[in-house]
Amino acid sequence: QKEVEQNSGPLSVPEGAIASLNCTYSDRGSQSFFWYRQYSGKSPELIMFIYSNGDKEDGRFTAQLNKASQYVSLLIRDSQPSDSATYLCAVIMGYGQNFVFGPGTRLSVLP
Amino acid sequence: GAGVSQSPSNKVTEKGKDVELRCDPISGHTALYWYRQRLGQGLEFLIYFQGNSAPDKSGLPSDRFSAERTGESVSTLTIQRTQQEDSAVYLCASSLLAGGTYEQYFGPGTRLTVT
C-alpha cells in the first residue's frame, strides 16, 4: 500500500522560531517529493520540491530528504503568523506518476 | 502565464441532479489530476489523465462519477444523480511530467453543495 504519513498537529510555534514538519513514505523507490501549503478555504500551493538526498533551501524554507530513512522534512525559519496553514507532503510513487498526498500537518504560528 | 482554472467556482445543486465541473490546465501540461476535499479533510485522489487517456481511475468513488479530457486541454468531471455526501471542494491540478519537471499546480477548486 502506498502511504505518506504526517503528524496531523496542530503544531504550534512562537513567532520567529523554526517550525519543523516531518513526512515519511512507504515506497523506497520514490524519487520526487513535494511540499504544499494550504490556507483555510484555499487550494494547495506548491512551496518546495526536492529530488535529491540532502537539503534544498529557498528563502526561509528548507526541504530535507533522506531516502535511506524514507523521510522528508520541511523547516521554516523565522516563522511568521502568515505561515499558519496546513502543510501537505506529496510523493510520486510507483509507475504512472502516482502522486500520493499525506493528510497534512496544521501549523499555527503564535504572535 | 495563466494558471489552472476551474469553473464554476461554486455550485449548489439539488440531490439527484447531474453536475459538470470543468478544468482548464496550464497550457502544455500533459498530466491532469482531479481530487476531492471534504471539509476539514485531506485530498482524495479521483482520477489522473495523461493526455486524453486515463491510466488511473482507481479513485472514482462510484459509477456516478466520470471524467473525460479533450486532447491535452480541458477536462470535465461529471457527477450523476448527486448525493449529499458528494458535497466537497473538487480540485484539479496539472503537471508537465517531462524534462524532469513533475510538480503539480492546483486550480482554485469548485465548491459543490448538494442540498
Side-chain angles (χ1 to χ4, degrees):
Chain A
Q1 177 136 358
K2 303 183 177 78
E3 289 187 343
V4 176
E5 297 186 348
Q6 299 178 253
N7 288 326
S8 61
L11 172 66
S12 294
V13 299
E15 184 174 356
I18 296 175
S20 177
L21 303 162
N22 303 317
C23 172
T24 58
Y25 57 95
S26 60
D27 182 359
R28 183 171 290 278
S30 297
Q31 298 292 326
S32 306
F33 308 86
F34 309 87
W35 282 100
Y36 287 82
R37 177 177 63 198
Q38 187 174 25
Y39 291 115
S40 181
K42 301 294 186 183
S43 61
E45 171 193 12
L46 178 70
I47 53 173
M48 291 284 286
F49 59 89
I50 185 166
Y51 301 152
S52 304
N53 268 333
D55 294 1
K56 179 181 179 183
E57 187 174 321
D58 184 1
R60 295 186 297 112
F61 299 98
T62 300
Q64 298 176 318
L65 175 61
N66 184 326
K67 291 184 182 178
S69 300
Q70 295 175 235
Y71 174 95
V72 58
S73 65
L74 179 70
L75 301 179
I76 307 175
R77 289 182 300 282
D78 188 24
S79 295
Q80 302 296 309
S82 59
D83 295 325
S84 298
T86 296
Y87 289 80
L88 302 169
C89 173
V91 180
I92 295 181
M93 293 188 178
Y95 300 102
Q97 306 302 336
N98 186 9
F99 267 78
V100 180
F101 280 84
T105 297
R106 190 154 57 91
L107 173 66
S108 178
V109 180
L110 307 174
Chain B
V4 178
S5 61
Q6 293 186 246
S7 61
S9 54
N10 279 284
K11 177 71 177 179
V12 180
T13 189
E14 292 180 353
K15 178 181 172 181
K17 301 282 190 184
D18 297 352
V19 294
E20 283 190 354
L21 311 180
R22 176 187 167 109
C23 173
D24 279 279
I26 293 172
S27 178
H29 278 197
T30 57
L32 186 148
Y33 304 78
W34 283 100
Y35 298 90
R36 178 169 71 179
Q37 190 171 36
R38 292 193 168 108
L39 186 65
Q41 302 297 309
L43 292 176
E44 180 184 357
F45 169 78
L46 297 179
I47 189 169
Y48 150 64
F49 287 93
Q50 179 64 38
N52 64 1
S53 67
D56 190 351
K57 302 180 183 179
S58 62
L60 293 177
S62 76
D63 60 7
R64 297 188 294 106
F65 287 72
S66 63
E68 61 180 26
R69 187 180 185 194
T70 306
E72 292 186 351
S73 60
V74 172
S75 175
T76 303
L77 177 68
T78 301
I79 309 173
Q80 296 178 310
R81 304 181 303 282
T82 51
Q83 304 294 312
Q84 287 185 331
E85 63 262 26
D86 299 333
S87 296
V89 176
Y90 289 82
L91 291 161
C92 174
S94 71
S95 178
L96 185 58
L97 288 189
T101 302
Y102 304 110
E103 312 90 79
Q104 285 190 14
Y105 295 90
F106 282 84
T110 293
R111 182 177 300 278
L112 175 65
T113 303
V114 182
T115 62

